[in-house]
Amino acid sequence: MSAKPPDPEPDATADLEPGGGVPPGGTPPDSGQTSGLSHPQPMPSKAVPVTTLVVVAILTLMVAALIFALAFGWLGV
């Protein structure tokens, strides 16, 4: 392998004290961070999830009724 490791050699690192410590002022200051949203996000509509749940519940009840009717032979199929 001819590629060098990504970490620098500890002996060649600037401002490194014996034992691995760094003197005060030897590290750059933390960078500023930006987080959060610049504008409040609109609330999503609750109609779509409620409608979906109602449709799924109705379909589930219809399938359950069909299986029940087939099990007791009420459909004459």
Side-chain angles (χ1 to χ4, degrees):
M1 251 187 183
S2 63
K4 292 184 178 181
D7 296 328
E9 289 292 327
D11 296 335
T13 304
D15 290 338
L16 193 61
E17 293 180 339
V22 179
T27 58
D30 285 337
S31 61
Q33 296 194 6
T34 58
S35 63
L37 303 172
S38 59
H39 299 288
Q41 296 293 312
M43 292 297 294
S45 172
K46 292 184 180 180
V48 173
V50 170
T51 304
T52 304
L53 288 175
V54 168
V55 169
V56 168
I58 290 171
L59 289 174
T60 303
L61 289 174
M62 289 174 64
V63 169
L66 177 65
I67 292 172
F68 187 77
L70 286 174
F72 286 101
W74 293 341
L75 295 178
V77 179

